[in-house]
Amino acid sequence: MAKGDPMEAKALITMTIDGVQVKVEAGLTVLEAARQQGIHIPTLCHHADLSPWGGCRICVVEVDGAPKLAASCVTPVREGMKVITTNERILEARRTVLEFLFAERNHFCMFCGRSGDCELQALAYELQMDHLTVPSSYQSFPVDVTDDHIAIDHNRCILCGRCVRACREIAGGYVLNYQNRGPLTLIGKDLNALSEGSSCLSCGVCMQVCPTGAMLDRHRAHYAVKGKTKDWAAIDSVCTQCGLLCPISCIVKDDKVLKIEGRFNHDRPDRGQLCQRGRFDFMGSAEPRLLQPMVRGDGGWTAVIWDEALDLVANRLSSLGGGRGGDGVIALASGRRSNEELLLFREIMRQGWSAAQVGVLDGLQWTTASIWGRLTAVHPEPSWQRISEADFLLLVGARPQLSQPVIAALVRRAFFERRIELAVIADEDPFAPWTTHFIRTAAENRSAMVAGVGAAVEKAARANAAAVAAAQIGGFERERNPDPGTAAALVGVAERWVKAGNPMVIAGQGVWQDEAALRHLVELVGSKDRFADGSMRLLLLKPSGNSAGALRLGLYPPPNFAGVRRAGVILLDAPPESDAEVERLVEGLEFLAVLSPYFPATLAERAQVLLPIAHRLEGEGTYSAIDGNAWQSTNRVIQPPIGVRPGWEVLLDLARRSAFQPDCRTWEDLRRWADRQMQPFALQESPDVHFDLTEANP
Ligand code: SF4
Ligand code: SF4
Ligand code: SF4
Ligand code: FES
């Protein structure tokens, strides 16, 4: 074998499975070896993405004729081993185990929300267990419905422990464990059997691996028995809701999404988990869909054909905007739409109707967006995956549990698995009790606190003496904050920052409006070398799924619209974007057109034309990662409702009626165009933000 051959490292052993001699890799379990040979052995507590457990004994096999059967999922192969995977004795043992599992708890499948999608039930069919030969011994256990998404019915639990391992090994939650002893054993959260009030993030990873109806999706009980056949398709795509682009598998039947699951992948720092939004809120809203183009007349809304609606939009924009110096038209797009749609929208509105103001509905309170866009054009943001390498994390005004829950899971994992220290500067601590340095601060003091850390870092780095920093902060504290513990906490954070070899700052919503805090944070990260790829040590959690794509395209939340505003176009995603803030922006317009997948309840009162467009699962699109340095394409998962078209297609139709004629006719043309635009930063303004970061890292 050639040196460096990948087979070189894999020692092979010879064993016999069901009378056939085979060569398999040393180190495999008997279960893995059998599966490689195409031999089926049933399992329950085993899950390929979790650590081995060996608790249920469903997978027993005969090894070397020994009287005691062995659990194949935890028995390693060895040279000369002889394994029998199926005979009457083995089947009898498996049936006995299964009967006891059914007898110990309440398994009346016809009343169970997982019937039809349950591994335990499927095993009963496989082993032809049509009745119990042992007496039922089940007691009544509680049902926990205090979580909005996941019900836990302990009466259906077989204590296989998959959920416990998944919560720890994939979600990084460390929430679940066994409680009580013997027949009273239950799975519980935080030593408190109820979900409500526990530290559970409702990510549903536990539910995804649960082989029974013990963990139930509250939105979709009984989905598996509807229509009776199991002709499901699994369509892979990525979740675009918060910028982490988590890989998803969409289970679809009859063009309906039955459920969305994470695609586990231990090579990713998040291991392919999904958060609660990606798993449960994939349609984004339960509001009524907009299904036809609508025009408002004297008698209210009337459904019209596409040409009539698009002609009306084009004519009104031309008459109200054209020839008036371009300030007659305003345009706003959701920061959740794809790069292709945002690019097309920007160009149509700018070139087609000379709109001077094209912005993004991206958390209108993100007033520092344009500064951030220009700064990161020169100093790239780090990938969120760097969190898994950091040896010290400082969170400023961030609540990733709400904005990017998988980032919260990574922070928790960093604490539990690597014991790194966490510092938080915020009005409340989202990581208590794991935070090692918590500086409680009101919004008006936030920038001063960050400046205080920076000052202490500067002193500590120069003199390597905390005392110097303490004196500095002491003065700072007397001036600005009466809390006697604050100075010591700031010094603690500064000392950890100085000592850390690989620190990282995560800033959130509390910093969006706070230019001074942002400036001080950039100065602080400038005190350390950058990450190896040249990115800063500062990640800003963004408000929308494709905020980073919008930033790259030079689309910022509008602080306010100046000048004459007579007509507007709004490209929406899912509610609640049509909220009071947006209403205020469109107040007084003579004409408003809204492109939206849903009927835009509040904006509809001010609009004259509504154009239905597809939801993100109903078409392809490219979305940028939260740091803006990578982007991925989604696949169409389901068809849009009849009469509803992809947003890009409607925009292209609108462009044909404008002064802008894009050089693209198909989706592929558009994708290539957007791809070219995303490569370099498409800055609309000169990058005049420096914050001295390059000087700190020559
Ligand atoms: S968990 Fe499975 S086996 Fe138990 S009642 Fe539900 S469908 Fe039947
Ligand atoms: S929902 Fe997520 S965090 Fe909560 S118990 Fe399950 S795996 Fe753990
Ligand atoms: S809740 Fe589900 S995964 Fe957890 S131990 Fe019970 S049956 Fe197993
Ligand atoms: S699957 Fe092997 S012991 Fe449970």
Side-chain angles (χ1 to χ4, degrees):
M1 195 173 289
K3 193 170 167 55
D5 190 311
M7 291 300 288
E8 192 181 33
K10 297 177 183 170
L12 298 178
I13 58 117
T14 304
M15 64 183 293
T16 306
I17 306 179
D18 291 341
V20 178
Q21 201 176 68
V22 293
K23 282 193 184 303
V24 298
E25 253 174 64
L28 294 183
T29 62
V30 169
L31 175 70
E32 288 164 337
R35 285 186 174 172
Q36 279 186 359
Q37 306 304 316
I39 296 168
H40 169 70
I41 298 175
T43 53
L44 273 176
C45 70
H46 175 80
H47 189 289
D49 291 290
L50 303 174
S51 57
W53 182 250
C56 74
R57 318 293 295 177
I58 276 290
C59 66
V60 287
V61 293
E62 213 174 80
V63 175
D64 296 337
K68 191 174 167 200
L69 298 177
S72 62
C73 67
V74 287
T75 303
V77 295
R78 63 178 150 69
E79 183 65 39
M81 190 183 229
K82 289 189 173 57
V83 172
I84 302 291
T85 64
T86 312
N87 60 24
E88 202 35 58
R89 178 175 162 236
I90 292 168
L91 287 176
E92 192 51 41
R94 289 178 186 159
R95 267 195 296 266
T96 303
V97 168
L98 192 64
E99 278 197 45
F100 276 111
L101 288 176
F102 269 84
E104 276 170 3
R105 303 249 163 140
N106 173 338
H107 289 284
F108 295 107
C109 301
M110 66 286 267
F111 302 116
C112 177
R114 277 288 289 272
S115 185
D117 184 22
C118 170
E119 291 180 42
L120 186 66
Q121 185 189 50
L123 204 48
Y125 282 116
E126 180 185 328
L127 297 178
Q128 298 174 6
M129 194 212 83
D130 53 10
H131 67 286
L132 291 180
T133 58
V134 294
S136 288
S137 61
Y138 69 82
Q139 317 172 40
S140 189
F141 289 100
V143 180
D144 178 355
V145 285
T146 60
D147 183 272
D148 287 344
H149 304 288
I150 307 162
I152 305 180
D153 184 349
H154 295 282
N155 298 289
R156 316 256 198 237
C157 176
I158 57 169
L159 301 172
C160 69
R162 280 194 194 179
C163 56
V164 176
R165 283 172 282 150
C167 183
R168 190 177 301 155
E169 296 167 14
I170 294 177
Y174 294 83
V175 174
L176 287 171
N177 220 323
Y178 292 99
Q179 297 178 356
N180 307 337
R181 305 293 291 268
L184 296 178
T185 306
L186 296 180
I187 294 302
K189 298 183 176 178
D190 290 350
L191 301 176
N192 163 359
L194 288 183
S195 297
E196 190 177 43
S198 75
S199 61
C200 170
L201 297 172
S202 301
C203 67
V205 170
C206 49
M207 191 186 75
Q208 180 171 333
V209 300
C210 178
T212 75
M215 297 237 176
L216 201 60
D217 182 339
R218 294 189 62 183
H219 311 284
R220 281 168 276 276
H222 300 285
Y223 59 87
V225 288
K226 285 186 184 139
K228 299 255 172 26
T229 58
K230 202 173 172 180
D231 50 351
W232 303 348
I235 300 171
D236 288 350
S237 191
V238 287
C239 176
T240 59
Q241 295 206 58
C242 80
L244 300 199
L245 302 177
C246 296
I248 56 174
S249 177
C250 308
I251 312 300
V252 176
K253 185 186 173 197
D254 298 337
D255 212 32
K256 300 242 172 354
V257 179
L258 297 183
K259 58 180 174 178
I260 290 197
E261 298 194 325
R263 283 188 273 143
F264 298 146
N265 176 353
H266 288 262
D267 293 334
R268 285 174 60 104
D270 61 345
R271 295 176 195 166
Q273 64 175 289
L274 281 187
C275 78
Q276 160 255 319
R277 265 195 291 164
R279 186 182 304 276
F280 299 110
D281 296 340
F282 48 82
M283 290 307 283
S285 176
E287 293 292 310
R289 291 296 296 269
L290 186 58
L291 296 170
Q292 285 172 291
M294 312 270 278
V295 168
R296 189 212 289 275
D298 293 340
W301 289 105
T302 313
V304 295
I305 60 170
W306 276 99
D307 280 342
E308 186 179 338
L310 292 169
D311 286 346
L312 179 61
V313 175
N315 292 339
R316 296 290 280 153
L317 291 181
S318 298
S319 65
L320 292 170
R324 293 171 192 274
D327 58 0
V329 175
I330 61 168
L332 288 165
S334 162
R336 303 186 212 159
R337 302 301 310 192
S338 67
N339 291 337
E340 290 84 1
E341 289 171 325
L342 291 175
L343 172 65
L344 202 47
F345 184 75
R346 185 190 79 181
E347 294 307 301
I348 293 170
M349 300 318 296
R350 282 189 183 153
Q351 295 189 47
W353 280 291
S354 309
Q357 319 223 30
V358 185
V360 65
L361 283 174
D362 210 1
L364 295 178
Q365 67 276 46
W366 189 13
T367 54
T368 56
S370 69
I371 294 176
W372 189 247
R374 282 175 285 148
L375 180 82
T376 52
V378 183
H379 309 292
E381 275 190 85
S383 161
W384 58 274
Q385 303 201 10
R386 295 265 173 204
I387 294 169
S388 64
E389 301 165 17
D391 60 359
F392 177 60
L393 287 171
L394 168 61
L395 288 99
V396 184
R399 279 188 79 81
Q401 286 88 340
L402 301 179
S403 56
Q404 280 81 13
V406 168
I407 284 190
L410 286 188
V411 173
R412 282 159 72 135
R413 176 171 289 147
F415 173 80
F416 283 112
E417 295 175 6
R418 295 186 288 118
R419 294 286 158 197
I420 74 162
E421 293 188 42
L422 305 178
V424 171
I425 300 179
D427 53 359
E428 60 182 281
D429 182 1
F431 289 100
W434 309 303
T435 309
T436 39
H437 307 272
F438 175 46
I439 302 173
R440 187 188 298 280
T441 179
E444 59 271 22
N445 288 334
R446 191 183 303 114
S447 68
M449 292 296 166
V450 178
V453 174
V457 163
E458 200 184 313
K459 296 285 179 189
R462 196 178 299 153
N464 199 20
V468 182
Q472 168 81 18
I473 296 304
F476 161 79
E477 185 212 353
R478 276 192 298 282
E479 266 176 47
R480 312 240 190 158
N481 195 312
D483 176 0
T486 303
L490 286 175
V491 170
V493 174
E495 283 181 336
R496 284 300 299 128
W497 180 267
V498 170
K499 278 189 202 146
N502 207 7
M504 184 168 173
V505 178
I506 302 172
Q509 188 166 9
V511 178
W512 292 350
Q513 286 179 298
D514 196 336
E515 188 183 331
L518 200 57
R519 178 180 296 275
H520 292 310
L521 283 173
V522 172
E523 284 163 2
L524 176 67
V525 298
S527 67
K528 284 279 183 193
D529 288 343
R530 299 181 189 210
F531 284 114
D533 62 0
S535 56
M536 291 189 285
R537 293 185 178 272
L538 171 56
L539 176 71
L540 189 68
L541 303 184
K542 315 289 189 304
S544 300
N546 201 22
S547 294
L551 271 196
R552 283 237 172 180
L553 292 167
L555 295 174
Y556 309 127
N560 49 56
F561 281 124
V564 183
R565 300 175 299 124
R566 303 187 66 200
V569 182
I570 297 193
L571 172 64
L572 287 180
D573 194 69
E577 288 177 311
S578 49
D579 58 13
E581 270 183 296
V582 185
E583 257 192 286
R584 184 180 53 75
L585 287 171
V586 299
E587 210 169 345
L589 294 181
E590 289 172 45
F591 176 78
L592 177 65
V594 179
L595 291 80
S596 173
Y598 293 90
F599 188 81
T602 50
L603 281 178
E605 287 176 21
R606 299 182 184 274
Q608 280 76 42
V609 178
L610 302 177
L611 301 172
I613 53 172
H615 180 273
R616 56 181 165 259
L617 291 182
E618 295 164 353
E620 296 97 345
T622 305
Y623 296 80
S624 296
I626 189 170
D627 47 87
N629 300 315
W631 47 96
Q632 280 188 48
S633 297
T634 60
N635 290 321
R636 175 180 291 173
V637 173
I638 48 175
Q639 297 295 327
I642 292 167
V644 174
R645 302 163 64 196
W648 62 268
E649 208 178 281
V650 176
L651 288 168
L652 270 183
D653 249 8
L654 204 51
R656 288 186 196 108
R657 292 165 165 84
S658 79
F660 171 62
Q661 297 300 311
D663 185 22
C664 52
R665 304 217 159 272
T666 64
W667 165 250
E668 283 308 321
D669 293 343
L670 180 58
R671 174 177 283 179
R672 277 192 292 272
W673 180 32
D675 220 36
R676 283 195 302 276
Q677 289 283 311
M678 301 311 286
Q679 299 288 349
F681 281 90
L683 286 174
Q684 304 306 307
E685 297 151 63
S686 62
D688 56 0
V689 179
H690 300 299
F691 291 0
D692 291 337
L693 199 125
T694 47
E695 286 166 27
N697 285 289

